[in-house]
Amino acid sequence: MDLLRFITAGSVDDGKSTLIGRLLYDSKNIMIDQLEAIGRQSKNREDGEIDLALLTDGLRAEREQGITIDVAYKYFSTPKRKFIIADAPGHIQYTRNMVTGASNSDLVIILVDARHGVVEQTRRHSIIASLLNIPHVVVAINKMDLVGYSRNVYNDIVIDYAEVAKTLGLSDVTYIPISALNGANIVDRSEELSWYDGGSLLEILENVEVQNSVNLTDARFYVQYVIRPQVEELHDYRGYAGKILSGTYRKGDKITVLPSGLESTIASIEIAGKEVEEAFAQQSIILHLKDDIDISRGDLIALSGSQPQVEQDLEALLCWMGNKPLVIGNRYLLQIHSRLVKAVVKDIDYRLDVNTLQKEPSPTMIGLNDIVKISLKTASPVPFDSYNKLRTTGGAILIDETSNVTVGACMIQ
Amino acid sequence: MSYRLDYLDQLESEAIHILREVAGQFERPALLFSGGKDSITLVHLALKAFRPGKFPFPLVHVDTGHNFPEALEFRDKLVEQLGEKLIVRNVEDTMRKRHLAEPKGKFASRNSLQTYTLLDVIEEFQFDACIGGGRRDEEKARAKERIFSVRDEFGQWNPKLQRPELWTIYNGRIDKGENVRAFPISNWTELDIWNYIRREKIDLPSIYFAHEREVLEHEGQLVATSRFIQLDPSDKVSVKRVRYRTVGDMTCTAAVESSATGIDAIINEITATKTSERGETRIDDRVSEAAMEDRKKNGYF
Ligand SMILES: Nc1nc2c(ncn2[C@@H]2O[C@H](COP(=O)(O)OP(=O)(O)O)[C@@H](O)[C@H]2O)c(=O)[nH]1
């Protein structure tokens, strides 16, 4: 059994919450007491139906306003897979939430209301999906019941979206007609949609290949913590603890520590107290080196044959998430995994219009949810890869030094 | 060699990564240990994260005085085996010191008073991060909480001011007085925990397995009789075969009827069951739809 993380995106009222509720309900991942609780809240509704959307609308403020205001995580599983859903809201002011949810996702479901077709928000969500480099896109054309399950309506939307996908260079796009409300094509294929010859949404989610988004060629490992037991019998023990972000490491491999450039050889690899010959991407391990060299938290250990870039001048696409504006010349902290360095925003090249992909050169005011291309200078060299090559070592956050708040997501170019 | 990780391996590796981030980013972290299966799982993950080194944090238990004796016994045995430091602070002491009123009612729960003791112990040891066993599948408010969740000086959680959490980068920077609650098993479900416990052969307190116990039936839930609960003449008390799905206070944790004496049987029952963990076993969550959200805002775990 493996794991798929996905995100749902759509405009308000496209049926995102209903869809998630339906997935959980039809795959039997909702419990009676949860149903009773939403039943109590649905009572005020005129039609008396249970409102599946209430399952994901977690916080009271949201229940009162009837909108989703933050990213919520939901879980369900089938015998094939465990699923983690990031439910991110669709309003224009919440780009930051979608970026947040998208950063960890292997797949995005973009909801389109069959009556409205591809709208501005569809483009925006697709642009964000492409900026964040989400490997798989599923375009779910919802509310098919309201257009008489029409094949023509579906086909027209597919043709429209194919244009969007082409402009953005989205390579893996799957289309599916659904009715979240009626459960058509969600878990089971539906009779009304018998003209559609793909699998149900759940079948798509169960079968999409997740492994091919894991990079096994470029070995990257950021040291999180140095383990040095202070006891006599383990006097010489010095283990570098961290998670392999990509690639594989083998006993005897030649490694380079960055940014220092010091070299050594892997003496042994431990996973949870057991020695292994080889370890690979996503495993949390302890590395031991042959030489006693200076290594601490925030250093990157790469295989000598495939090293990342190490620079002080970085170019990045930045999604601004702060409430205060971004100011040229301001100092921030840049955190890339366990490495934290001071950084100055040197220049703002352009602002990207997330509806049209137009670049607006040298913008003056950068505010919440803006996506801009910036140049950064860091106080010390940072090891990284370009985000388009490696999501894991190409993503970094900006932190406001005075408030400690995370104010930006950087996709390093 | 296959380079695929099973979902439990992925969850395990993510949790170890988070534990090590806490160790790497904070000066004085602590692991909140309740004696329940989630915190026992956390301890197991900490062993994998830090052995052969010592834990870079003590275990902290906020004892309400209403615990199951089996859970306390288990706690002490585990700590002795581990050779790690345990700090216990009693809610009763806080009540005395702060002149807090003993909660009233049939199932008078000290659950809400735990918050005072917790904030006091954080203050006493100047903890800057508290690792907890919260899971997002437990409850709707938790579903939105970050893995690194910043609390203000009053221990309060502000759902509207949460930091965005991107990729697997955790921002643990805080001001003096603030602290972070870190949740390494956020992405695990109840079933994931049980499957992991089975796979790793993790020991649990005996009350998780079917045993005979005197219980009273209350609104469809089974509550163990104990000196902490007032019995009324009309109460129906009987001896039943039960087990616990969560281990909290004797006053606010309900048992489920079960004959499952082993972990396979428990997993079968949970897979078949139609009631969620909290709904079945937590008496305090029924009070209001927003119960958990309110308690979290007030500094609860
Ligand atoms: N007819 C029809 N209505 C739907 C469908 N999916 C969702 N809805 C309705 O559309 C409205 C908005 O749905 P909701 O899930 O709250 O949308 P969200 O804002 O995207 O989360 C609700 O009244 C739903 O009942 C569908 O497939 N068909």
Side-chain angles (χ1 to χ4, degrees):
Chain A
M1 196 159 133
D2 59 11
L3 180 64
L4 177 74
R5 295 174 199 252
F6 69 92
I7 178 171
T8 48
S11 319
V12 184
D13 282 347
D14 278 351
K16 203 155 36 73
S17 310
T18 309
L19 172 69
I20 295 174
R22 178 58 70 186
L23 273 173
L24 301 181
Y25 184 74
D26 286 0
S27 63
K28 308 205 168 41
N29 280 270
I30 295 181
M31 307 292 187
I32 289 172
D33 60 314
Q34 292 171 323
L35 272 182
E36 279 172 0
I38 61 173
R40 280 198 296 277
Q41 291 173 61
S42 311
K43 267 207 195 99
N44 306 333
R45 283 166 54 107
E46 280 151 31
D47 52 15
E49 288 255 339
I50 275 195
D51 189 348
L52 289 176
L54 285 172
L55 269 173
T56 54
D57 280 359
L59 299 178
R60 182 154 54 191
E62 298 171 271
R63 285 196 292 278
E64 283 160 3
Q65 296 162 31
I67 50 160
T68 321
I69 54 169
D70 206 334
V71 189
Y73 294 90
K74 282 277 152 189
Y75 305 84
F76 73 102
S77 52
T78 67
K80 269 194 143 159
R81 258 190 191 157
K82 174 184 167 88
F83 297 94
I84 302 181
I85 315 174
D87 179 18
H91 330 286
I92 195 145
Q93 64 270 42
Y94 291 118
T95 299
R96 86 170 206 181
N97 290 337
M98 177 167 172
V99 169
T100 303
S103 70
N104 283 323
S105 296
D106 303 313
L107 179 147
V108 56
I109 298 179
I110 294 183
L111 273 174
V112 175
D113 187 324
R115 296 168 303 175
H116 308 143
V118 174
V119 295
E120 193 175 289
Q121 307 231 29
T122 319
R123 284 204 183 82
R124 171 149 39 91
H125 296 144
S126 306
I127 288 173
I128 294 171
S130 81
L131 291 177
L132 271 289
N133 226 349
I134 302 180
H136 310 281
V137 178
V138 173
V139 180
I141 295 147
N142 190 29
K143 307 200 185 182
M144 287 300 291
D145 54 306
L146 297 180
V147 296
Y149 294 100
S150 155
R151 185 176 191 167
N152 287 338
V153 170
Y154 169 80
N155 282 339
D156 288 345
I157 294 173
V158 170
I159 290 167
D160 279 354
Y161 192 88
E163 276 301 310
V164 177
K166 206 172 125 201
T167 330
L168 296 177
L170 299 174
S171 54
D172 182 77
V173 184
T174 311
Y175 300 90
I176 180 168
I178 60 169
S179 167
L181 194 64
N182 298 339
N185 246 356
I186 306 297
V187 168
D188 299 312
R189 297 187 199 192
S190 112
E191 228 161 83
E192 293 92 342
L193 294 166
S194 56
W195 46 262
Y196 169 78
D197 51 16
S200 72
L201 183 61
L202 187 62
E203 288 173 63
I204 295 174
L205 296 176
E206 280 185 322
N207 291 308
V208 63
E209 181 55 63
V210 277
Q211 186 63 20
N212 57 13
S213 40
V214 179
N215 172 310
L216 291 169
T217 43
D218 303 285
R220 305 285 182 264
F221 173 94
Y222 260 111
V223 176
Q224 292 184 268
Y225 187 75
V226 182
I227 295 179
R228 301 205 65 174
Q230 311 288 344
V231 291
E232 201 52 46
E233 64 273 23
L234 292 166
H235 187 69
D236 292 328
Y237 186 102
R238 192 180 170 88
Y240 304 105
K243 186 171 174 176
I244 301 179
L245 299 170
S246 54
T248 61
Y249 289 83
R250 239 182 239 103
K251 196 171 158 173
D253 280 347
K254 297 255 176 297
I255 60 96
T256 304
V257 182
L258 298 163
S260 69
L262 296 172
E263 298 185 346
S264 185
T265 306
I266 297 177
S268 66
I269 305 172
E270 267 181 275
I271 299 181
K274 287 196 202 75
E275 229 187 285
V276 295
E277 282 298 303
E278 184 181 26
F280 55 92
Q282 299 183 341
Q283 289 186 308
S284 282
I285 62 165
I286 298 175
L287 275 183
H288 297 269
L289 302 181
K290 289 233 167 93
D291 309 281
D292 196 5
I293 49 179
D294 183 26
I295 299 176
S296 53
R297 174 174 164 87
D299 285 335
L300 187 146
I301 299 179
L303 291 193
S304 298
S306 91
Q307 295 186 26
Q309 287 165 264
V310 183
E311 311 273 352
Q312 268 180 274
D313 291 296
L314 308 177
E315 306 266 296
L317 268 182
L318 167 76
C319 173
W320 188 250
M321 301 178 158
N323 293 317
K324 295 185 287 180
L326 165 68
V327 181
I328 294 184
N330 266 17
R331 286 149 50 112
Y332 299 95
L333 290 166
L334 182 84
Q335 186 179 350
I336 175 164
H337 293 279
S338 51
R339 188 166 197 84
L340 193 66
V341 294
K342 286 194 194 312
V344 180
V345 176
K346 282 285 184 199
D347 195 19
I348 301 172
D349 197 1
Y350 59 82
R351 171 171 25 219
L352 195 69
D353 184 323
V354 280
N355 298 315
T356 60
L357 275 185
Q358 300 265 356
K359 294 173 185 170
E360 176 199 332
S362 313
T364 43
M365 268 292 286
I366 307 300
L368 179 63
N369 293 314
D370 278 342
I371 292 184
V372 288
K373 168 82 180 302
I374 58 165
S375 324
L376 280 170
K377 175 136 192 125
T378 57
S380 62
V382 176
F384 69 94
D385 291 277
S386 97
Y387 187 80
N388 284 332
K389 179 182 167 197
L390 270 175
R391 274 173 107 192
T392 41
T393 31
I397 60 171
L398 275 191
I399 300 170
D400 182 327
E401 253 189 317
T402 56
S403 68
N404 294 325
V405 171
T406 303
V407 289
C410 298
M411 277 85 51
I412 306 173
Q413 302 295 289
Chain B
M1 173 146 178
S2 152
Y3 296 109
R4 265 169 201 276
L5 278 188
D6 177 67
Y7 82 107
L8 280 179
D9 290 320
Q10 292 192 44
L11 292 175
E12 175 188 76
S13 179
E14 177 183 76
I16 292 172
H17 176 250
I18 294 162
L19 285 166
R20 287 170 173 170
E21 277 306 290
V22 174
Q25 291 194 35
F26 296 93
E27 280 169 30
R28 277 177 302 277
L31 188 150
L32 301 178
F33 184 81
S34 71
K37 65 180 188 313
D38 296 333
S39 53
I40 292 169
T41 301
L42 275 186
V43 166
H44 185 82
L45 290 161
L47 286 170
K48 295 204 176 198
F50 301 110
R51 282 294 185 257
K54 284 245 169 221
F55 291 179
F57 38 71
L59 311 185
V60 171
H61 184 218
V62 172
D63 188 343
T64 57
H66 288 174
N67 282 294
F68 288 90
E70 294 92 333
L72 294 182
E73 233 167 77
F74 185 90
R75 175 196 74 189
D76 294 338
K77 204 182 78 195
L78 180 69
V79 168
E80 199 188 303
Q81 270 172 13
L82 292 171
E84 297 287 345
K85 184 172 172 199
L86 170 73
I87 297 169
V88 179
R89 287 294 176 270
N90 296 303
V91 171
E92 261 158 45
D93 294 337
T94 317
M95 289 167 66
R96 220 171 295 125
K97 193 175 108 203
R98 298 189 172 274
H99 304 286
L100 304 175
E102 178 79 62
K104 296 199 182 63
K106 188 174 180 65
F107 301 105
S109 161
R110 290 179 178 163
N111 221 349
S112 58
L113 298 179
Q114 275 179 314
T115 308
Y116 292 91
T117 313
L118 177 64
L119 295 182
D120 282 352
V121 71
I122 288 173
E123 170 92 37
E124 179 185 351
F125 292 92
Q126 296 286 301
F127 291 132
D128 48 5
C130 296
I131 302 161
R135 307 191 322 263
R136 286 176 178 150
D137 84 318
E138 280 180 278
E139 212 276 338
K140 284 197 286 190
R142 280 216 201 272
K144 308 216 162 181
E145 189 158 15
R146 303 292 185 255
I147 288 174
F148 272 26
S149 181
V150 180
R151 303 302 171 92
D152 65 16
E153 279 177 81
F154 305 97
Q156 291 176 317
W157 179 56
N158 186 342
K160 287 201 177 155
L161 286 183
Q162 297 203 86
R163 294 175 180 172
E165 206 158 65
L166 294 126
W167 298 290
T168 51
I169 302 177
Y170 303 103
N171 171 6
R173 292 183 62 86
I174 46 171
D175 280 326
K176 232 184 144 40
E178 295 175 333
N179 65 82
V180 162
R181 304 288 160 84
F183 300 108
I185 53 171
S186 285
N187 287 325
W188 300 44
T189 62
E190 184 190 16
L191 197 55
D192 297 336
I193 294 278
W194 281 110
N195 279 325
Y196 188 70
I197 287 171
R198 170 164 65 182
R199 190 184 86 170
E200 302 286 311
K201 304 191 172 64
I202 300 173
D203 266 343
L204 291 182
S206 56
I207 53 177
Y208 279 109
F209 302 96
H211 56 284
E212 309 245 303
R213 188 178 284 269
E214 189 182 81
V215 291
L216 98 102
E217 265 176 75
H218 179 78
E219 293 177 2
Q221 291 186 311
L222 302 178
V223 187
T225 56
S226 69
R227 62 193 167 92
F228 312 121
I229 286 167
Q230 298 165 22
L231 286 182
D232 297 314
S234 59
D235 281 337
K236 265 199 293 177
V237 173
S238 58
V239 173
K240 286 200 158 54
R241 248 185 119 59
V242 297
R243 66 175 170 82
Y244 284 87
R245 278 174 81 180
T246 64
V247 171
D249 279 0
M250 296 193 78
T251 53
C252 64
T253 313
V256 292
E257 273 201 90
S258 165
S259 55
T261 49
I263 205 146
D264 290 332
I266 291 178
I267 289 176
N268 284 341
E269 283 189 7
I270 290 172
T271 317
T273 190
K274 287 279 181 289
T275 308
S276 75
E277 180 178 320
R278 263 187 183 270
E280 187 170 63
T281 60
R282 285 290 168 107
I283 296 167
D284 51 343
D285 266 346
R286 288 196 162 181
V287 180
S288 94
E289 188 49 42
M292 174 67 105
E293 196 180 330
D294 288 338
R295 284 206 313 270
K296 282 181 97 75
K297 283 185 183 159
N298 289 326
Y300 186 74
F301 297 80

